[in-house]
Amino acid sequence: MNHRIRIAACAGLVTFSLAIGLAAAAAPLPPDVDPVSRNRLPNPTRADMTSDEERAIYDDLTKGNVPGMRLFSPRLARAFSHAHRYAKYESGMDGRLVEIAVLVTAREINSQFEWTRWEAHGRAAKESSVEPAIIDIIKFCKPISGSVAGLGPKETVIINLGREMLGPRRKVSSKTFADSVRLFGRRGTVDLVALMALYVATDMEVNAFDAQLPAGMKPSLPPMAQTPACRKS
């Protein structure tokens, strides 16, 4: 299990910790956003649980984590927890490729919340970091061409799959799909698509509950409308 990725991917943890418990923000929060949870719901407490099963789930999912909004529905939180843990840490996919998959998902759905958090980690000088040139290809919707350090067949197919699946056309080409199965296998392709889908679901929650970035963290994803190469037809 790649612990560096686990630290960076708090939003994808089972508890879906959309907040880090910081009450002070650099800018005023919207009036309906809780200053501690930094979204429209307060952090759930153990007292909100209504059965022994729910309390057991709460205890399990909050070990070392801030209780996130999903714990208002404990069994759902547990299911998401299992799915995220498998997709990111247990599927066998290299941690660096997991980061690339999440980044291309965040770019294509224009998720400021996920992109900003994952880009900061992806650019860090660590074992699982993603090469800056690859991050920029994703961030600025650059074409995949020429020789780019670290950009091999697997990185290329992940970027193409995310762009085709989540971009305006919403259609994965036969070639891209075949390339994915050839490089990752049938199970690996299912796992890759599921990983991206989990972050699409997370972004829906971010939007609905107006989840804010951690205090002091500056947004780093330029809107597609302001990025010429991202204006796709």
Side-chain angles (χ1 to χ4, degrees):
M1 181 183 299
N2 193 313
H3 295 289
R4 294 187 176 94
I5 293 180
R6 180 182 290 277
I7 293 170
C10 294
L13 290 172
V14 168
T15 59
F16 187 48
S17 174
L18 291 177
I20 59 174
L22 297 176
L29 293 173
D32 62 341
V33 168
D34 183 279
V36 176
S37 71
R38 297 180 66 77
N39 68 77
R40 285 172 169 157
L41 294 177
N43 287 332
T45 67
R46 200 171 190 274
D48 293 314
M49 306 298 106
T50 60
S51 68
D52 289 342
E53 179 191 19
E54 290 188 356
R55 285 185 283 274
I57 293 172
Y58 183 93
D59 291 343
D60 182 49
L61 298 186
T62 56
K63 292 176 181 176
N65 298 309
V66 175
M69 63 179 70
R70 282 185 187 145
L71 273 169
F72 281 111
S73 180
R75 294 177 71 181
L76 177 70
R78 180 172 59 188
F80 265 92
S81 173
H82 292 165
H84 270 280
R85 183 171 64 245
Y86 172 77
K88 291 188 293 186
Y89 312 125
E90 299 174 358
S91 70
M93 182 173 291
D94 178 76
R96 177 175 159 278
L97 296 180
V98 168
E99 292 204 26
I100 290 172
V102 176
L103 284 171
V104 71
T105 300
R107 169 71 280 183
E108 292 304 311
I109 62 176
N110 211 34
S111 176
Q112 186 67 255
F113 187 93
E114 293 297 344
W115 176 273
T116 299
R117 295 163 72 94
W118 279 82
E119 181 186 16
H121 180 259
R123 291 187 184 276
K126 297 179 179 180
E127 178 183 333
S128 64
S129 62
V130 180
E131 292 80 357
I134 294 178
I135 293 178
D136 286 344
I137 285 174
I138 299 170
K139 184 175 187 176
F140 300 107
C141 307
K142 296 179 180 179
I144 303 173
S145 59
S147 178
V148 176
L151 186 64
K154 289 185 176 181
E155 292 82 0
T156 297
V157 77
I158 290 173
I159 295 171
N160 285 337
L161 180 66
R163 286 177 173 178
E164 293 175 14
M165 180 169 63
L166 302 170
R169 296 180 182 178
R170 295 291 197 275
K171 178 66 175 178
V172 176
S173 69
S174 295
K175 180 182 184 306
T176 295
F177 184 80
D179 287 344
S180 180
V181 172
R182 175 174 56 82
L183 292 168
F184 296 108
R186 291 173 178 173
R187 176 181 294 182
T189 297
V190 170
D191 289 342
L192 179 58
V193 171
L195 171 65
M196 293 179 174
L198 284 169
Y199 277 90
V200 173
T202 295
D203 187 61
M204 297 302 99
E205 293 169 319
V206 167
N207 291 338
F209 300 107
D210 199 14
Q212 307 292 305
L213 286 167
M217 181 173 281
K218 296 181 179 179
S220 63
L221 182 67
M224 282 194 169
Q226 298 176 16
T227 310
C230 293
R231 297 171 188 165
K232 304 172 184 177
S233 58

